[in-house]
Amino acid sequence: MNKGKIAFIGLGNDGFYTINLCDNIEEPDVKINISCPSGKVFIGAGEDTTGGDLEPDDPLYRSGDIISLPIGNYKISLKKAANIVFISITPSKAKANNFENILRLD
């Protein structure tokens, strides 16, 4: 996460969440920089991310979705209200982070 290659954010508990992509979030709970060299970003459950020799389940059974963005660096701002996660993705010059703790939206 500090290299800006992936963003894992704890939601506090399991369950179903509605994702609301928005232009701007006032006073976000979490901000993270990422690099998007492929132009594609997966937003969904951590167990459905690619890793090692494992690939996510078939899209029919996977939670989440892939969104397309222009290739570049982005600041992702997040805020959680009940079972809604608000996400704002804006262009950024930064792609790295300096986190020392796990990121959570509690």
Side-chain angles (χ1 to χ4, degrees):
M1 286 189 5
N2 279 337
K3 291 182 180 180
K5 297 182 185 240
I6 197 161
F8 285 112
I9 305 357
L11 297 178
N13 54 8
D14 289 340
F16 291 95
Y17 293 88
T18 299
I19 301 298
N20 185 333
L21 292 175
C22 48
D23 292 332
N24 185 40
I25 297 175
E26 300 269 335
E27 300 181 29
D29 297 323
V30 170
K31 292 187 279 188
I32 185 168
N33 296 308
I34 64 162
S35 174
C36 183
S38 69
K40 298 191 183 300
V41 173
F42 173 70
I43 299 175
E47 60 266 20
D48 287 331
T49 58
T50 298
D53 291 330
L54 302 174
E55 293 296 322
D57 291 331
D58 182 282
L60 183 63
Y61 304 104
R62 166 181 83 206
S63 65
D65 209 353
I66 296 171
I67 62 169
S68 295
L69 298 170
I71 293 170
N73 298 326
Y74 292 90
K75 176 179 74 174
I76 301 177
S77 300
L78 301 107
K79 189 168 195 78
K80 181 178 145 191
N83 283 12
I84 301 172
V85 178
F86 297 91
I87 302 174
S88 171
I89 303 173
T90 56
S92 173
K93 292 184 183 200
K95 68 175 181 180
N97 302 284
N98 241 351
F99 300 119
E100 294 181 11
N101 296 310
I102 296 171
L103 300 180
R104 295 191 185 278
L105 291 175
D106 292 325

